[in-house]
Amino acid sequence: MNDRLSRLHASRSAAVKAGLNHPVIDTDVHVNDYAPALEDYIQHYGGSRLVDALRKALGSRFATRNGEGRDWYAQTPAERRHHRTMRSPWWARVTRNTLDLATYTLPELLAERLEEQGADYSVLFPNDVLAPLGAGNEYRQPLHRAINHYHADVYRKYADRLTPVAGIPLNTPQEGIEELEFAVKTLGLKVINIAGGVKRPIPAVAEKYPPAEHPLVARYAHYTDFYGIDSEYDYDPFWQKVVELGVPVTTHYGSQGWTGRQSISNYMYNHIGHFADGSQAFAKALFFGGVTRRFPQLRVALLEGGADWGVHVYAHLVDRWEKRNRVAVQQYNPANADLDLLEDLFRRYGGELTDGRPVNRDTLLVDSLGISALPHSREPNEDEIDDFALAGIERVEDIKARWVDSFYFGSEADDRTVAAAFNDKVNPLGTKINAIWSSDVGHWDVPDLTEPLAESWDLVEQGVIGAADFKALVFDNPYRFYTQANADFFKGTAVERIAAQRG
């Protein structure tokens, strides 16, 4: 006990927390699973074959391989270059800080040290929670079910301050619904974590090169389905079930391996900005696909990418809609060009360019000036000119409702760009973006779990954000995210007690 109190006294974050009049909610804590205990659950759900499937999925989760299946570290530099094998993450866990390493694996120790961290309540993302996505079709659902069951059991004792997410597979809407209902109704879990997209074969390529016969082609020739616009399936039944059950949706969706993030030698080159890019693709798919219009109660948190990308997408949605809504886009309709005037101006002022060549307004002028983006094909019809149609955007306020209100953006403690989220002088309609405090403890970017809250408070002392913004970041916005999806989310927790005590 004395050792614990001495650590608590030494924590900068505990000192910051002591001066606050509101709870602190951490929306992103990463924990490890103790393999022998987890595998007991896996064995129960599917025997040794399921255990082997999990081990295989875990072994391949981060490794990138060449055509012969050899991972990056087993390849020579020449082989990496020949196969363009991307360098994957490495040394991703805290090790020198052994106390923290144990804390992320032992639920009782984590619960004890939460006060030292400065948090009142933490949402946990076990590092293995989406590992089953790398398993085959026959293993994916039972693995998810077993892993979710394990997490629900080991953290249930600490439910007043800790809650783990449920990993939900979404290769099909029905698969997602089945695991969602089991996680919520049977296990009592109340937050879900999904991948922001699923890779699918390109039909035209798969027809010519069947994946079973040409696995290497299938590995590289694919597209990503982001569950919204242009999706292979209608995911509305899944989103409807999410809303019906009152479940907040979270994702840590990255883009390492995408074009521009395929360095064969440098992990940092591939890493910086990849969560923002991946989450942006997913969020835009929901927005442009009309998901946030059809399900205004849906709440989605996009973690580890910061909030500044949410700001600039919001601003770009507004300025592009103003230029390219179904009325404004007529400014670029080739039919609206005055070809008589254009021909006259060329004759009067274009002599040096035309050099005596006849000016043919139907070919030379139209083609050379790029008046039509489709000079050799048909123009888009009336149903094809409004990119904002599915989103149902009729005014700027609709963009705010379907982007700002629906999405929350996880910002790590030392992320100075979070200031953009609170800059209502710049953001359209004087809006503040929903930044939520996401410490990311448990990963390499947080070498000491006692520091993140203090690091966020440093931003206040440095004038990067204001005290009211800090409160919004660590309490108001996270509280709203969870309770807008489920009004009883914090019932019986430390957050409810503290909020009641402090009014």
Side-chain angles (χ1 to χ4, degrees), residues 66-96:
N66 65 12
E68 284 73 47
R70 298 175 65 210
D71 70 36
W72 191 92
Y73 289 96
Q75 298 172 39
T76 66
E79 287 175 322
R80 296 167 190 159
R81 187 171 297 278
H82 179 71
H83 292 281
R84 301 306 300 177
T85 308
M86 183 191 80
R87 189 171 190 186
S88 52
W90 53 283
W91 288 1
R93 303 285 181 265
V94 174
T95 55
R96 178 174 292 175

PDB file of all heavy atoms in Angstrom, residues 66-96:
ATOM      1  N   ASN A  66       6.595 -12.134 -48.544  1.00  0.00           N
ATOM      2  CA  ASN A  66       6.775 -12.164 -49.994  1.00  0.00           C
ATOM      3  C   ASN A  66       5.958 -13.306 -50.587  1.00  0.00           C
ATOM      4  O   ASN A  66       5.184 -13.963 -49.892  1.00  0.00           O
ATOM      5  CB  ASN A  66       8.267 -12.299 -50.359  1.00  0.00           C
ATOM      6  CG  ASN A  66       8.868 -13.639 -49.917  1.00  0.00           C
ATOM      7  OD1 ASN A  66       8.162 -14.558 -49.529  1.00  0.00           O
ATOM      8  ND2 ASN A  66      10.183 -13.734 -49.971  1.00  0.00           N
ATOM      9  N   GLY A  67       6.096 -13.519 -51.880  1.00  0.00           N
ATOM     10  CA  GLY A  67       5.282 -14.511 -52.566  1.00  0.00           C
ATOM     11  C   GLY A  67       5.481 -15.925 -52.062  1.00  0.00           C
ATOM     12  O   GLY A  67       4.611 -16.777 -52.216  1.00  0.00           O
ATOM     13  N   GLU A  68       6.640 -16.192 -51.444  1.00  0.00           N
ATOM     14  CA  GLU A  68       6.889 -17.528 -50.916  1.00  0.00           C
ATOM     15  C   GLU A  68       6.483 -17.663 -49.459  1.00  0.00           C
ATOM     16  O   GLU A  68       6.727 -18.686 -48.819  1.00  0.00           O
ATOM     17  CB  GLU A  68       8.389 -17.869 -51.049  1.00  0.00           C
ATOM     18  CG  GLU A  68       8.815 -18.232 -52.470  1.00  0.00           C
ATOM     19  CD  GLU A  68       8.843 -17.007 -53.370  1.00  0.00           C
ATOM     20  OE1 GLU A  68       9.409 -15.974 -52.957  1.00  0.00           O
ATOM     21  OE2 GLU A  68       8.295 -17.086 -54.482  1.00  0.00           O
ATOM     22  N   GLY A  69       5.878 -16.628 -48.897  1.00  0.00           N
ATOM     23  CA  GLY A  69       5.409 -16.689 -47.531  1.00  0.00           C
ATOM     24  C   GLY A  69       6.447 -16.343 -46.484  1.00  0.00           C
ATOM     25  O   GLY A  69       6.188 -16.481 -45.285  1.00  0.00           O
ATOM     26  N   ARG A  70       7.617 -15.889 -46.875  1.00  0.00           N
ATOM     27  CA  ARG A  70       8.655 -15.526 -45.908  1.00  0.00           C
ATOM     28  C   ARG A  70       8.433 -14.088 -45.461  1.00  0.00           C
ATOM     29  O   ARG A  70       8.236 -13.191 -46.280  1.00  0.00           O
ATOM     30  CB  ARG A  70      10.040 -15.673 -46.540  1.00  0.00           C
ATOM     31  CG  ARG A  70      10.358 -17.099 -46.970  1.00  0.00           C
ATOM     32  CD  ARG A  70      11.687 -17.162 -47.709  1.00  0.00           C
ATOM     33  NE  ARG A  70      12.788 -16.815 -46.830  1.00  0.00           N
ATOM     34  CZ  ARG A  70      13.919 -16.237 -47.249  1.00  0.00           C
ATOM     35  NH1 ARG A  70      14.048 -15.901 -48.526  1.00  0.00           N
ATOM     36  NH2 ARG A  70      14.886 -15.968 -46.413  1.00  0.00           N
ATOM     37  N   ASP A  71       8.483 -13.872 -44.137  1.00  0.00           N
ATOM     38  CA  ASP A  71       8.199 -12.533 -43.651  1.00  0.00           C
ATOM     39  C   ASP A  71       9.400 -11.610 -43.832  1.00  0.00           C
ATOM     40  O   ASP A  71      10.503 -12.047 -44.188  1.00  0.00           O
ATOM     41  CB  ASP A  71       7.702 -12.563 -42.209  1.00  0.00           C
ATOM     42  CG  ASP A  71       8.777 -12.932 -41.198  1.00  0.00           C
ATOM     43  OD1 ASP A  71       9.945 -12.547 -41.378  1.00  0.00           O
ATOM     44  OD2 ASP A  71       8.434 -13.593 -40.207  1.00  0.00           O
ATOM     45  N   TRP A  72       9.188 -10.331 -43.569  1.00  0.00           N
ATOM     46  CA  TRP A  72      10.173  -9.277 -43.863  1.00  0.00           C
ATOM     47  C   TRP A  72      11.533  -9.591 -43.258  1.00  0.00           C
ATOM     48  O   TRP A  72      12.574  -9.431 -43.901  1.00  0.00           O
ATOM     49  CB  TRP A  72       9.641  -7.946 -43.328  1.00  0.00           C
ATOM     50  CG  TRP A  72      10.407  -6.738 -43.774  1.00  0.00           C
ATOM     51  CD1 TRP A  72      10.170  -5.959 -44.867  1.00  0.00           C
ATOM     52  CD2 TRP A  72      11.545  -6.157 -43.114  1.00  0.00           C
ATOM     53  NE1 TRP A  72      11.076  -4.922 -44.935  1.00  0.00           N
ATOM     54  CE2 TRP A  72      11.934  -5.027 -43.857  1.00  0.00           C
ATOM     55  CE3 TRP A  72      12.257  -6.476 -41.956  1.00  0.00           C
ATOM     56  CZ2 TRP A  72      13.008  -4.219 -43.504  1.00  0.00           C
ATOM     57  CZ3 TRP A  72      13.341  -5.680 -41.592  1.00  0.00           C
ATOM     58  CH2 TRP A  72      13.702  -4.565 -42.360  1.00  0.00           C
ATOM     59  N   TYR A  73      11.535 -10.050 -41.999  1.00  0.00           N
ATOM     60  CA  TYR A  73      12.803 -10.268 -41.313  1.00  0.00           C
ATOM     61  C   TYR A  73      13.532 -11.517 -41.799  1.00  0.00           C
ATOM     62  O   TYR A  73      14.725 -11.678 -41.530  1.00  0.00           O
ATOM     63  CB  TYR A  73      12.573 -10.323 -39.798  1.00  0.00           C
ATOM     64  CG  TYR A  73      12.225  -8.957 -39.252  1.00  0.00           C
ATOM     65  CD1 TYR A  73      10.902  -8.585 -39.058  1.00  0.00           C
ATOM     66  CD2 TYR A  73      13.217  -8.009 -38.985  1.00  0.00           C
ATOM     67  CE1 TYR A  73      10.579  -7.315 -38.594  1.00  0.00           C
ATOM     68  CE2 TYR A  73      12.906  -6.748 -38.534  1.00  0.00           C
ATOM     69  CZ  TYR A  73      11.589  -6.403 -38.338  1.00  0.00           C
ATOM     70  OH  TYR A  73      11.275  -5.148 -37.894  1.00  0.00           O
ATOM     71  N   ALA A  74      12.845 -12.391 -42.491  1.00  0.00           N
ATOM     72  CA  ALA A  74      13.478 -13.587 -43.039  1.00  0.00           C
ATOM     73  C   ALA A  74      14.012 -13.350 -44.446  1.00  0.00           C
ATOM     74  O   ALA A  74      14.678 -14.214 -45.013  1.00  0.00           O
ATOM     75  CB  ALA A  74      12.499 -14.752 -43.044  1.00  0.00           C
ATOM     76  N   GLN A  75      13.727 -12.183 -45.002  1.00  0.00           N
ATOM     77  CA  GLN A  75      14.138 -11.880 -46.372  1.00  0.00           C
ATOM     78  C   GLN A  75      15.428 -11.075 -46.401  1.00  0.00           C
ATOM     79  O   GLN A  75      15.726 -10.303 -45.486  1.00  0.00           O
ATOM     80  CB  GLN A  75      13.035 -11.081 -47.083  1.00  0.00           C
ATOM     81  CG  GLN A  75      11.723 -11.812 -47.228  1.00  0.00           C
ATOM     82  CD  GLN A  75      10.635 -10.890 -47.756  1.00  0.00           C
ATOM     83  OE1 GLN A  75      10.856 -10.046 -48.614  1.00  0.00           O
ATOM     84  NE2 GLN A  75       9.430 -11.047 -47.226  1.00  0.00           N
ATOM     85  N   THR A  76      16.155 -11.222 -47.462  1.00  0.00           N
ATOM     86  CA  THR A  76      17.325 -10.379 -47.684  1.00  0.00           C
ATOM     87  C   THR A  76      16.856  -9.035 -48.241  1.00  0.00           C
ATOM     88  O   THR A  76      15.735  -8.920 -48.754  1.00  0.00           O
ATOM     89  CB  THR A  76      18.275 -11.029 -48.700  1.00  0.00           C
ATOM     90  OG1 THR A  76      17.622 -11.079 -49.991  1.00  0.00           O
ATOM     91  CG2 THR A  76      18.667 -12.446 -48.266  1.00  0.00           C
ATOM     92  N   PRO A  77      17.690  -7.991 -48.160  1.00  0.00           N
ATOM     93  CA  PRO A  77      17.315  -6.711 -48.766  1.00  0.00           C
ATOM     94  C   PRO A  77      16.935  -6.843 -50.235  1.00  0.00           C
ATOM     95  O   PRO A  77      16.005  -6.186 -50.709  1.00  0.00           O
ATOM     96  CB  PRO A  77      18.565  -5.854 -48.573  1.00  0.00           C
ATOM     97  CG  PRO A  77      19.192  -6.397 -47.322  1.00  0.00           C
ATOM     98  CD  PRO A  77      18.947  -7.879 -47.401  1.00  0.00           C
ATOM     99  N   ALA A  78      17.625  -7.711 -50.960  1.00  0.00           N
ATOM    100  CA  ALA A  78      17.312  -7.893 -52.381  1.00  0.00           C
ATOM    101  C   ALA A  78      15.935  -8.519 -52.554  1.00  0.00           C
ATOM    102  O   ALA A  78      15.171  -8.146 -53.457  1.00  0.00           O
ATOM    103  CB  ALA A  78      18.378  -8.771 -53.040  1.00  0.00           C
ATOM    104  N   GLU A  79      15.595  -9.480 -51.691  1.00  0.00           N
ATOM    105  CA  GLU A  79      14.270 -10.107 -51.775  1.00  0.00           C
ATOM    106  C   GLU A  79      13.162  -9.117 -51.436  1.00  0.00           C
ATOM    107  O   GLU A  79      12.106  -9.110 -52.069  1.00  0.00           O
ATOM    108  CB  GLU A  79      14.213 -11.305 -50.821  1.00  0.00           C
ATOM    109  CG  GLU A  79      15.011 -12.500 -51.283  1.00  0.00           C
ATOM    110  CD  GLU A  79      15.026 -13.617 -50.256  1.00  0.00           C
ATOM    111  OE1 GLU A  79      15.095 -13.317 -49.041  1.00  0.00           O
ATOM    112  OE2 GLU A  79      14.961 -14.799 -50.659  1.00  0.00           O
ATOM    113  N   ARG A  80      13.415  -8.277 -50.434  1.00  0.00           N
ATOM    114  CA  ARG A  80      12.401  -7.270 -50.087  1.00  0.00           C
ATOM    115  C   ARG A  80      12.135  -6.342 -51.259  1.00  0.00           C
ATOM    116  O   ARG A  80      10.999  -5.982 -51.552  1.00  0.00           O
ATOM    117  CB  ARG A  80      12.863  -6.467 -48.872  1.00  0.00           C
ATOM    118  CG  ARG A  80      13.013  -7.273 -47.603  1.00  0.00           C
ATOM    119  CD  ARG A  80      13.772  -6.485 -46.548  1.00  0.00           C
ATOM    120  NE  ARG A  80      14.133  -7.330 -45.413  1.00  0.00           N
ATOM    121  CZ  ARG A  80      15.113  -7.046 -44.564  1.00  0.00           C
ATOM    122  NH1 ARG A  80      15.836  -5.935 -44.727  1.00  0.00           N
ATOM    123  NH2 ARG A  80      15.372  -7.855 -43.560  1.00  0.00           N
ATOM    124  N   ARG A  81      13.212  -5.943 -51.919  1.00  0.00           N
ATOM    125  CA  ARG A  81      13.055  -5.048 -53.067  1.00  0.00           C
ATOM    126  C   ARG A  81      12.372  -5.764 -54.232  1.00  0.00           C
ATOM    127  O   ARG A  81      11.528  -5.192 -54.922  1.00  0.00           O
ATOM    128  CB  ARG A  81      14.419  -4.506 -53.486  1.00  0.00           C
ATOM    129  CG  ARG A  81      14.374  -3.439 -54.560  1.00  0.00           C
ATOM    130  CD  ARG A  81      15.744  -2.811 -54.763  1.00  0.00           C
ATOM    131  NE  ARG A  81      16.193  -2.136 -53.571  1.00  0.00           N
ATOM    132  CZ  ARG A  81      15.833  -0.899 -53.220  1.00  0.00           C
ATOM    133  NH1 ARG A  81      15.024  -0.212 -54.025  1.00  0.00           N
ATOM    134  NH2 ARG A  81      16.281  -0.342 -52.129  1.00  0.00           N
ATOM    135  N   HIS A  82      12.741  -7.020 -54.445  1.00  0.00           N
ATOM    136  CA  HIS A  82      12.167  -7.780 -55.557  1.00  0.00           C
ATOM    137  C   HIS A  82      10.669  -7.972 -55.372  1.00  0.00           C
ATOM    138  O   HIS A  82       9.888  -7.846 -56.317  1.00  0.00           O
ATOM    139  CB  HIS A  82      12.868  -9.144 -55.654  1.00  0.00           C
ATOM    140  CG  HIS A  82      12.348 -10.019 -56.754  1.00  0.00           C
ATOM    141  ND1 HIS A  82      12.571  -9.756 -58.088  1.00  0.00           N
ATOM    142  CD2 HIS A  82      11.594 -11.160 -56.719  1.00  0.00           C
ATOM    143  CE1 HIS A  82      11.985 -10.682 -58.830  1.00  0.00           C
ATOM    144  NE2 HIS A  82      11.389 -11.548 -58.025  1.00  0.00           N
ATOM    145  N   HIS A  83      10.259  -8.265 -54.157  1.00  0.00           N
ATOM    146  CA  HIS A  83       8.846  -8.523 -53.876  1.00  0.00           C
ATOM    147  C   HIS A  83       8.097  -7.279 -53.396  1.00  0.00           C
ATOM    148  O   HIS A  83       6.890  -7.334 -53.226  1.00  0.00           O
ATOM    149  CB  HIS A  83       8.711  -9.619 -52.816  1.00  0.00           C
ATOM    150  CG  HIS A  83       9.149 -10.970 -53.277  1.00  0.00           C
ATOM    151  ND1 HIS A  83       8.373 -11.779 -54.067  1.00  0.00           N
ATOM    152  CD2 HIS A  83      10.307 -11.651 -53.052  1.00  0.00           C
ATOM    153  CE1 HIS A  83       9.014 -12.914 -54.307  1.00  0.00           C
ATOM    154  NE2 HIS A  83      10.185 -12.866 -53.704  1.00  0.00           N
ATOM    155  N   ARG A  84       8.842  -6.174 -53.178  1.00  0.00           N
ATOM    156  CA  ARG A  84       8.268  -4.948 -52.603  1.00  0.00           C
ATOM    157  C   ARG A  84       7.532  -5.282 -51.303  1.00  0.00           C
ATOM    158  O   ARG A  84       6.385  -4.886 -51.077  1.00  0.00           O
ATOM    159  CB  ARG A  84       7.330  -4.238 -53.577  1.00  0.00           C
ATOM    160  CG  ARG A  84       7.959  -3.810 -54.877  1.00  0.00           C
ATOM    161  CD  ARG A  84       9.190  -2.958 -54.697  1.00  0.00           C
ATOM    162  NE  ARG A  84       8.931  -1.711 -53.954  1.00  0.00           N
ATOM    163  CZ  ARG A  84       9.898  -0.844 -53.630  1.00  0.00           C
ATOM    164  NH1 ARG A  84      11.159  -1.096 -53.961  1.00  0.00           N
ATOM    165  NH2 ARG A  84       9.587   0.260 -52.965  1.00  0.00           N
ATOM    166  N   THR A  85       8.216  -5.993 -50.410  1.00  0.00           N
ATOM    167  CA  THR A  85       7.635  -6.385 -49.133  1.00  0.00           C
ATOM    168  C   THR A  85       7.687  -5.217 -48.161  1.00  0.00           C
ATOM    169  O   THR A  85       8.768  -4.785 -47.758  1.00  0.00           O
ATOM    170  CB  THR A  85       8.392  -7.590 -48.542  1.00  0.00           C
ATOM    171  OG1 THR A  85       8.459  -8.632 -49.522  1.00  0.00           O
ATOM    172  CG2 THR A  85       7.688  -8.110 -47.293  1.00  0.00           C
ATOM    173  N   MET A  86       6.542  -4.714 -47.777  1.00  0.00           N
ATOM    174  CA  MET A  86       6.461  -3.572 -46.877  1.00  0.00           C
ATOM    175  C   MET A  86       7.011  -3.914 -45.500  1.00  0.00           C
ATOM    176  O   MET A  86       6.789  -5.013 -44.985  1.00  0.00           O
ATOM    177  CB  MET A  86       5.003  -3.125 -46.750  1.00  0.00           C
ATOM    178  CG  MET A  86       4.803  -1.903 -45.887  1.00  0.00           C
ATOM    179  SD  MET A  86       3.051  -1.632 -45.514  1.00  0.00           S
ATOM    180  CE  MET A  86       2.816  -2.816 -44.174  1.00  0.00           C
ATOM    181  N   ARG A  87       7.731  -2.967 -44.904  1.00  0.00           N
ATOM    182  CA  ARG A  87       8.174  -3.196 -43.531  1.00  0.00           C
ATOM    183  C   ARG A  87       7.020  -2.939 -42.583  1.00  0.00           C
ATOM    184  O   ARG A  87       6.393  -1.879 -42.587  1.00  0.00           O
ATOM    185  CB  ARG A  87       9.348  -2.300 -43.159  1.00  0.00           C
ATOM    186  CG  ARG A  87       9.916  -2.723 -41.799  1.00  0.00           C
ATOM    187  CD  ARG A  87      11.199  -2.061 -41.425  1.00  0.00           C
ATOM    188  NE  ARG A  87      11.750  -2.724 -40.235  1.00  0.00           N
ATOM    189  CZ  ARG A  87      12.821  -2.300 -39.584  1.00  0.00           C
ATOM    190  NH1 ARG A  87      13.456  -1.210 -39.992  1.00  0.00           N
ATOM    191  NH2 ARG A  87      13.249  -2.944 -38.532  1.00  0.00           N
ATOM    192  N   SER A  88       6.743  -3.907 -41.744  1.00  0.00           N
ATOM    193  CA  SER A  88       5.601  -3.843 -40.838  1.00  0.00           C
ATOM    194  C   SER A  88       6.034  -3.328 -39.469  1.00  0.00           C
ATOM    195  O   SER A  88       7.219  -3.136 -39.200  1.00  0.00           O
ATOM    196  CB  SER A  88       4.975  -5.232 -40.727  1.00  0.00           C
ATOM    197  OG  SER A  88       5.971  -6.183 -40.396  1.00  0.00           O
ATOM    198  N   PRO A  89       5.079  -3.097 -38.549  1.00  0.00           N
ATOM    199  CA  PRO A  89       5.427  -2.614 -37.219  1.00  0.00           C
ATOM    200  C   PRO A  89       6.377  -3.551 -36.481  1.00  0.00           C
ATOM    201  O   PRO A  89       6.344  -4.766 -36.665  1.00  0.00           O
ATOM    202  CB  PRO A  89       4.068  -2.559 -36.513  1.00  0.00           C
ATOM    203  CG  PRO A  89       3.078  -2.392 -37.612  1.00  0.00           C
ATOM    204  CD  PRO A  89       3.622  -3.187 -38.755  1.00  0.00           C
ATOM    205  N   TRP A  90       7.206  -2.972 -35.632  1.00  0.00           N
ATOM    206  CA  TRP A  90       8.138  -3.767 -34.835  1.00  0.00           C
ATOM    207  C   TRP A  90       8.387  -3.050 -33.496  1.00  0.00           C
ATOM    208  O   TRP A  90       8.253  -1.844 -33.391  1.00  0.00           O
ATOM    209  CB  TRP A  90       9.463  -3.977 -35.573  1.00  0.00           C
ATOM    210  CG  TRP A  90      10.112  -2.715 -36.068  1.00  0.00           C
ATOM    211  CD1 TRP A  90       9.753  -1.985 -37.159  1.00  0.00           C
ATOM    212  CD2 TRP A  90      11.205  -2.017 -35.469  1.00  0.00           C
ATOM    213  NE1 TRP A  90      10.544  -0.884 -37.290  1.00  0.00           N
ATOM    214  CE2 TRP A  90      11.463  -0.877 -36.268  1.00  0.00           C
ATOM    215  CE3 TRP A  90      11.995  -2.251 -34.344  1.00  0.00           C
ATOM    216  CZ2 TRP A  90      12.466   0.036 -35.976  1.00  0.00           C
ATOM    217  CZ3 TRP A  90      13.004  -1.342 -34.059  1.00  0.00           C
ATOM    218  CH2 TRP A  90      13.245  -0.231 -34.864  1.00  0.00           C
ATOM    219  N   TRP A  91       8.669  -3.820 -32.457  1.00  0.00           N
ATOM    220  CA  TRP A  91       8.877  -3.292 -31.105  1.00  0.00           C
ATOM    221  C   TRP A  91       7.738  -2.329 -30.749  1.00  0.00           C
ATOM    222  O   TRP A  91       7.961  -1.147 -30.460  1.00  0.00           O
ATOM    223  CB  TRP A  91      10.228  -2.589 -30.989  1.00  0.00           C
ATOM    224  CG  TRP A  91      11.411  -3.515 -30.994  1.00  0.00           C
ATOM    225  CD1 TRP A  91      11.373  -4.882 -31.106  1.00  0.00           C
ATOM    226  CD2 TRP A  91      12.789  -3.145 -30.911  1.00  0.00           C
ATOM    227  NE1 TRP A  91      12.644  -5.386 -31.092  1.00  0.00           N
ATOM    228  CE2 TRP A  91      13.541  -4.350 -30.971  1.00  0.00           C
ATOM    229  CE3 TRP A  91      13.465  -1.941 -30.794  1.00  0.00           C
ATOM    230  CZ2 TRP A  91      14.931  -4.355 -30.910  1.00  0.00           C
ATOM    231  CZ3 TRP A  91      14.856  -1.936 -30.738  1.00  0.00           C
ATOM    232  CH2 TRP A  91      15.581  -3.133 -30.792  1.00  0.00           C
ATOM    233  N   ALA A  92       6.534  -2.855 -30.740  1.00  0.00           N
ATOM    234  CA  ALA A  92       5.350  -2.012 -30.566  1.00  0.00           C
ATOM    235  C   ALA A  92       4.856  -1.952 -29.120  1.00  0.00           C
ATOM    236  O   ALA A  92       3.875  -1.264 -28.845  1.00  0.00           O
ATOM    237  CB  ALA A  92       4.221  -2.507 -31.462  1.00  0.00           C
ATOM    238  N   ARG A  93       5.515  -2.638 -28.184  1.00  0.00           N
ATOM    239  CA  ARG A  93       5.060  -2.655 -26.801  1.00  0.00           C
ATOM    240  C   ARG A  93       6.102  -2.023 -25.876  1.00  0.00           C
ATOM    241  O   ARG A  93       7.305  -2.057 -26.147  1.00  0.00           O
ATOM    242  CB  ARG A  93       4.796  -4.091 -26.340  1.00  0.00           C
ATOM    243  CG  ARG A  93       3.785  -4.838 -27.183  1.00  0.00           C
ATOM    244  CD  ARG A  93       2.364  -4.389 -26.913  1.00  0.00           C
ATOM    245  NE  ARG A  93       1.428  -5.171 -27.730  1.00  0.00           N
ATOM    246  CZ  ARG A  93       0.974  -4.779 -28.911  1.00  0.00           C
ATOM    247  NH1 ARG A  93       1.349  -3.620 -29.422  1.00  0.00           N
ATOM    248  NH2 ARG A  93       0.135  -5.546 -29.594  1.00  0.00           N
ATOM    249  N   VAL A  94       5.629  -1.476 -24.771  1.00  0.00           N
ATOM    250  CA  VAL A  94       6.517  -0.952 -23.743  1.00  0.00           C
ATOM    251  C   VAL A  94       7.194  -2.138 -23.048  1.00  0.00           C
ATOM    252  O   VAL A  94       6.532  -3.095 -22.663  1.00  0.00           O
ATOM    253  CB  VAL A  94       5.712  -0.130 -22.714  1.00  0.00           C
ATOM    254  CG1 VAL A  94       6.612   0.301 -21.556  1.00  0.00           C
ATOM    255  CG2 VAL A  94       5.089   1.086 -23.389  1.00  0.00           C
ATOM    256  N   THR A  95       8.517  -2.087 -22.869  1.00  0.00           N
ATOM    257  CA  THR A  95       9.225  -3.191 -22.212  1.00  0.00           C
ATOM    258  C   THR A  95      10.091  -2.708 -21.051  1.00  0.00           C
ATOM    259  O   THR A  95      10.038  -3.272 -19.963  1.00  0.00           O
ATOM    260  CB  THR A  95      10.112  -3.954 -23.214  1.00  0.00           C
ATOM    261  OG1 THR A  95      10.999  -3.029 -23.863  1.00  0.00           O
ATOM    262  CG2 THR A  95       9.261  -4.658 -24.251  1.00  0.00           C
ATOM    263  N   ARG A  96      10.885  -1.667 -21.241  1.00  0.00           N
ATOM    264  CA  ARG A  96      11.764  -1.211 -20.160  1.00  0.00           C
ATOM    265  C   ARG A  96      10.952  -0.848 -18.920  1.00  0.00           C
ATOM    266  O   ARG A  96      11.367  -1.116 -17.793  1.00  0.00           O
ATOM    267  CB  ARG A  96      12.603  -0.029 -20.629  1.00  0.00           C
ATOM    268  CG  ARG A  96      13.515   0.543 -19.547  1.00  0.00           C
ATOM    269  CD  ARG A  96      14.433   1.611 -20.088  1.00  0.00           C
ATOM    270  NE  ARG A  96      15.418   1.027 -20.998  1.00  0.00           N
ATOM    271  CZ  ARG A  96      16.303   1.754 -21.700  1.00  0.00           C
ATOM    272  NH1 ARG A  96      16.285   3.070 -21.616  1.00  0.00           N
ATOM    273  NH2 ARG A  96      17.160   1.166 -22.501  1.00  0.00           N
TER     274      ARG A  96
END
